Amino acid sequence: MPDHDLLRSTLREQWHLVPAEIAPLPGGLLSHGWDVTAGGERFIARLAEPAARQPVEAGLAAAEHLRTTGIEAGEPIRTLAGGLTADTPYGAMAVLRRAPGRTLDGRDPIDQQFWGDRLGAVHRTLQSFHHPGLRGWNLLDTDAPHLGVEPWLRDAVHGAVTAMTRLTVTDRLTYGVLHGDPAAEIFLVDPATGRAGLLDCGASGTGPLLYDVAAAVVYAGGPDTAAELLDGYLAAGPVDAGELHAALPVLLRFRWAVQADWAARRLVTGEGDGNRETLRSAQVALIAEPDPR
């Protein structure tokens, strides 16, 4: 992850922004984010891995599309050269003008309603959105070398992928444009107007919409603590209750496999002990909790 000096220099050289304040954004799995104050305005800087440049640009285009439909979303800011992203040694960086409001608290029942409602509205609105950078649904590589970092990991990921594959063959799932990483902190509510929105659309792709719902439920602490989130989603989204209740357990398991795969890759490249904690949480979710002995 870049230090603040590199972030400042990139913002200055590529966007002519001189930050007065930079604060890391909490949450998020697939990218790093910062809340940036510059010139009296607030921006979001988002950095994704190098291979994700096209999906990031698809997400920026999706944010622009949402704004035309009345959904509050960050406004993508083009670089001085006219691009949507800038290359850095750490990946593709994008900047958005921050939509008004405070980020949501995923533990608060009312905020969960806003969270589910906006995720559902985004899914419904983006059903008509197309972009060449949207990645198709891609299951995990169960032969990947980094899955050998823990003895239990490869079999657990294989089991989740097998269940997901069976579900996509046997059940009719609702597909569409995914956010990919819809943590509560990505969504906003403006106390002045009561309007809710989101910071950005992440590295967008297409797939079963319940994958986003499962990701949000994991962030909310699991199904037992996500009732208001699910109610909000069902009221606004294109997935019906029958599909949600039948398929969500498989999607939850698969989301945990995605998080475990992500953490394992970063452990192999030496990116910190926080990934070890993610793996421990994934182990509890994917297989029986290990014997403490």
Side-chain angles (χ1 to χ4, degrees), residues 2-3 59 70 86 105 109-110 204 244 248 284:
D3 58 28
D105 180 351
I110 295 175
S204 282
L244 186 147
L248 184 59
V284 173

Side-chain angles (χ1 to χ4, degrees), residues 7-259:
L7 183 58
R8 287 177 185 277
S9 64
T10 302
L11 292 172
R12 184 176 61 252
E13 293 166 8
Q14 298 290 341
W15 282 274
H16 213 204
L17 292 174
V18 180
E21 296 181 32
I22 298 176
L25 289 173
L29 176 69
L30 304 178
S31 66
H32 299 293
W34 297 266
D35 197 329
V36 177
T37 301
E41 293 188 89
R42 292 180 70 183
F43 301 88
I44 300 299
R46 183 71 67 183
L47 180 70
E49 60 188 30
R53 179 170 189 160
Q54 285 189 318
V56 166
E57 294 196 352
L60 295 170
E64 290 182 324
H65 178 77
L66 291 174
R67 287 170 54 79
T68 66
T69 66
I71 294 178
E72 293 282 1
E75 177 189 358
I77 306 298
R78 291 187 175 270
T79 67
L80 296 177
L84 281 170
T85 58
D87 286 328
T88 79
Y90 295 88
M93 182 172 288
V95 173
L96 304 95
R97 183 170 283 106
R98 197 182 192 281
R102 63 166 178 83
T103 55
L104 299 182
D105 180 351
R107 299 164 298 179
D108 181 88
I110 295 175
D111 277 12
Q112 277 201 19
Q113 282 280 346
F114 281 123
W115 185 8
D117 173 86
R118 287 300 82 186
L119 180 58
V122 166
H123 280 172
R124 190 173 292 280
T125 300
L126 291 181
Q127 286 185 304
S128 61
F129 175 75
H130 303 281
H131 189 279
L134 289 172
R135 289 186 293 196
W137 181 241
N138 185 28
L139 297 177
L140 300 170
D141 178 8
T142 58
D143 294 322
H146 60 263
L147 294 181
V149 72
E150 291 281 357
W152 58 269
L153 182 55
R154 191 179 306 279
D155 285 346
V157 170
H158 185 272
V161 170
T162 299
M164 188 70 231
T165 302
R166 186 182 304 116
L167 180 69
T168 59
V169 171
T170 59
D171 287 50
R172 185 170 181 174
L173 301 178
T174 304
Y175 280 68
V177 177
L178 299 171
H179 182 283
D181 204 28
E185 295 87 356
I186 294 296
F187 294 82
L188 304 162
V189 62
D190 185 353
T193 63
R195 295 185 66 182
L198 70 165
L199 295 177
D200 60 56
C201 285
S204 282
T206 58
L209 295 180
L210 277 180
Y211 176 77
D212 269 356
V213 178
V217 169
V218 169
Y219 280 124
D224 292 342
T225 57
E228 298 299 328
L229 164 66
L230 294 176
D231 283 349
Y233 182 82
L234 287 173
V239 178
D240 64 32
E243 179 183 341
L244 186 147
H245 294 302
L248 184 59
V250 175
L251 270 297
L252 285 170
R253 185 181 177 193
F254 182 72
R255 172 64 180 191
W256 274 113
V258 169
Q259 294 196 186

